[in-house]
């Protein structure tokens, strides 16, 4: 008989590896634009770098999938403090800039601390609200300080500026708040204040506010702020149901910028077609459902909230990216998990899957053998 934890963890790993493999293929396919700029360029450059990052991510996944996840409850606050320091360093001369944003640190290798923030906030809120689950009915005792610290964190990210990531992390925090036992009378004003803060930050930056107006008036901005989305729609139209075939798309040949990063879903749509896009969306949905199922079954409050945070992060990020590329919401600069080119994001997402795998192993373990499982059955 197949054990429940083996089935669930096997499904998570197959889905993760399948998405990463697809990402490697599509990163290679969408790198063809490099040959147009310089015929002597190595077109395997981006895929090669992504393979190296995948190797690092696989090691991280293995560690987080096998180590006792309860240790992260003890380390949650120090991790949050270190993350705040990294975000502050980004805004100093140590930070690297690109395309008008200062989001990277270069410490021998280049990475985005805002990607680390995703997992740091999940660790922190899961740990705090697992301890204070009896106090969640009181806003000031259970919610005020944790959300104040998260708000300060989001402020540092907005200063980079990275409004898409700040919005994304805020949504994950609100989801954790709800699942931890937050009251709607507290959450609704908090959510309104959060959306108002993001709106004010957008309005203060004219070039970012134009993304909203471009979404409302696409024809007016067809050659500027709406150009990428328009080209993505053309790619989807070319792909039809079954696609043009891998490597046969044309949108990445200089027509659509960032085809290997934020807009790689459009390349998938053109080359693999609507049917395979639907399969891809189903894979992300299945990861989210498995994560929530583990959270529902887990009797350890920290493990349950950990799964909620990880599943919500992967699900909402994928949904937001797909919505942007299909023109359903204004552009945000959010990558597609496991598939878009990028190192720190890939590694963090693999860590999230590793955490869900570890929680599932203890949750569905028939023979309790760890301190956490003994606490649940004792």
């Amino acid at each position: 008989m197949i054990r429940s934890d083996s089935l669930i963890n096997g499904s998570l790993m197959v889905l993760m590896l399948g998405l990463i493999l697809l990402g490697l293929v599509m990163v290679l396919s969408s790198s063809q634009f490099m040959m147009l700029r310089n015929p002597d360029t190595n077109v395997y450059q981006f895929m090669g770098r992504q393979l190296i990052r995948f190797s690092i991510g696989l090691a991280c996944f293995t560690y987080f999938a096998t180590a006792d996840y309860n240790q992260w409850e003890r380390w949650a606050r120090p991790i949050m403090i270190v993350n705040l320091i990294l975000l502050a360093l980004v805004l100093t001369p140590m930070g690297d800039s690109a395309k008008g944003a200062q989001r990277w640190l270069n410490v021998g290798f280049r990475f985005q601390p805002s990607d680390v923030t995703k997992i740091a906030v999940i660790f922190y809120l899961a740990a705090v609200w697992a301890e204070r689950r009896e106090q969640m009915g009181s806003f000031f005792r259970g919610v005020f300080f944790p959300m104040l610290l998260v708000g300060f964190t989001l402020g540092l990210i907005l200063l980079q500026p990275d409004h898409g990531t700040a919005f994304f992390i805020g949504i994950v925090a609100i989801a954790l708040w709800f699942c931890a036992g937050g009251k709607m009378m507290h959450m609704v004003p908090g959510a309104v204040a959060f959306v108002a803060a993001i709106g004010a930050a957008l309005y203060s930056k004219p070039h970012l506010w134009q993304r909203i107006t471009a979404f409302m008036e696409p024809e007016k901005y067809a050659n500027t702020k709406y150009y990428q989305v328009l080209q993505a729609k053309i790619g989807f139209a070319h792909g039809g149901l079954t696609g043009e075939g891998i490597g046969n798309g044309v949108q990445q040949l200089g027509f659509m910028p960032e085809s290997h990063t934020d807009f790689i879903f459009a390349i998938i749509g053109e080359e693999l077609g609507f049917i395979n896009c639907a399969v891809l969306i189903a894979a992300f949905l299945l990861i989210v459902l498995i994560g929530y199922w583990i959270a529902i079954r887990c009797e350890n409050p920290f493990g349950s909230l950990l799964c909620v945070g990880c599943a919500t992060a992967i699900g909402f990020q994928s949904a937001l990216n797909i919505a942007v590329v299909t023109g359903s919401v204004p552009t945000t600069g959010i990558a597609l998990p496991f598939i878009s080119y990028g190192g720190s994001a890939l590694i963090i997402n693999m860590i999230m899957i590793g955490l869900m795998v570890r929680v599932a192993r203890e949750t569905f373990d028939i023979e309790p053998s760890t301190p956490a499982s003994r606490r649940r059955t004792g």
Side-chain angles (χ1 to χ4, degrees):
M1 180 180 293
I2 300 177
R3 285 176 46 171
S4 298
D5 62 328
S6 299
L7 181 61
I8 290 174
N9 290 341
S11 299
L12 281 174
M13 287 186 280
V14 167
L15 289 167
M16 179 189 74
L17 293 175
L19 290 171
I20 293 172
L21 179 61
L22 173 63
L24 289 170
V25 173
M26 298 314 301
V27 165
L28 176 61
S29 179
S30 60
S31 301
Q32 296 180 53
F33 72 93
M34 297 175 62
M35 295 183 64
L36 298 177
R37 296 178 180 176
N38 184 356
D40 296 326
T41 299
N42 180 6
V43 295
Y44 298 98
Q45 174 181 329
F46 286 166
M47 189 186 76
R49 290 176 181 173
Q50 197 74 345
L51 272 171
I52 294 172
R53 293 156 176 171
F54 166 65
S55 301
I56 297 171
L58 192 60
C60 293
F61 164 81
T62 302
Y63 173 74
F64 280 86
T66 54
D68 179 13
Y69 71 85
N70 291 281
Q71 66 179 307
W72 306 115
E73 187 172 6
R74 299 188 295 271
W75 285 97
R77 291 172 177 82
I79 289 172
M80 191 66 176
I81 293 171
V82 170
N83 176 70
L84 287 170
I85 294 171
L86 292 175
L87 289 174
L89 289 175
V90 170
L91 304 175
T92 70
M94 293 180 63
D96 276 356
S97 301
K99 299 180 180 179
Q102 190 162 324
R103 303 174 184 173
W104 295 266
L105 274 181
N106 196 334
V107 289
F109 58 93
R110 198 165 178 257
F111 74 103
Q112 280 188 260
S114 58
D115 283 326
V116 180
T117 304
K118 299 170 187 176
I119 194 69
V121 166
I122 292 172
F123 277 147
Y124 173 71
L125 292 181
V128 170
W129 285 336
E131 294 172 2
R132 303 182 184 180
R133 56 189 181 277
E134 303 298 333
Q135 302 174 356
M136 293 304 293
S138 170
F139 179 78
F140 287 99
R141 284 189 296 171
V143 178
F144 178 73
F145 182 77
M147 290 304 280
L148 183 65
L149 186 58
V150 170
F152 179 71
T153 303
L154 299 184
L156 291 175
I157 295 175
L158 287 172
L159 290 174
Q160 297 179 0
D162 190 349
H163 296 80
T165 299
F167 176 70
F168 157 72
I169 293 174
I171 293 296
V172 173
I174 291 173
L176 281 167
W177 185 4
F178 175 76
C179 293
K183 288 192 171 184
M184 294 303 295
M185 62 181 295
H186 299 152
M187 293 183 62
V188 171
V192 171
F194 167 67
V195 172
I198 293 292
L202 285 171
Y203 190 73
S204 66
K205 303 286 185 179
H207 69 286
L208 293 175
W209 185 251
Q210 284 182 357
R211 295 182 180 181
I212 308 295
T213 55
F215 175 73
M216 303 299 293
E217 304 176 81
E219 297 84 4
K220 182 178 178 181
Y221 296 89
N223 294 319
T224 54
K225 292 294 182 181
Y226 203 74
Y227 177 78
Q228 281 179 295
V229 179
L230 180 61
Q231 293 301 317
K233 289 182 177 181
I234 293 173
F236 287 122
H238 285 167
L241 281 177
T242 58
E244 298 288 332
I246 294 178
N248 295 328
V250 296
Q251 289 306 99
Q252 70 268 31
L253 299 178
F255 293 101
M256 187 169 62
E258 311 300 336
S259 59
H260 61 307
T261 55
D262 297 350
F263 278 75
I264 199 168
F265 185 68
I267 305 303
I268 296 172
E270 183 180 17
E271 298 190 352
L272 299 181
F274 172 81
I275 294 174
N276 287 298
C277 283
V279 172
L280 174 63
I281 293 171
F284 281 117
L285 180 60
L286 190 54
I287 288 175
V288 174
L289 292 176
I290 291 174
Y292 286 160
W293 175 245
I294 298 169
I296 291 170
R297 294 292 302 275
C298 181
E299 297 180 23
N300 183 331
F302 176 68
S304 180
L305 289 174
L306 207 57
C307 282
V308 167
C310 292
T312 302
I314 293 172
F316 185 71
Q317 186 174 350
S318 58
L320 189 57
N321 175 272
I322 292 169
V324 166
V325 176
T326 55
S328 304
V329 298
T331 54
T332 60
I334 292 291
L336 188 61
F338 305 111
I339 294 178
S340 291
Y341 176 79
S344 50
L346 175 63
I347 293 170
I348 292 299
N349 287 323
M350 293 182 73
I351 287 174
M352 290 182 184
I353 296 291
L355 287 168
M356 287 194 287
V357 165
R358 180 55 182 167
V359 175
R361 286 180 60 193
E362 291 196 2
T363 300
F364 298 97
D365 192 357
I366 297 173
E367 296 294 335
S369 58
T370 65
S373 57
R374 285 196 294 269
R375 286 199 300 272
R376 292 197 301 271
T377 57

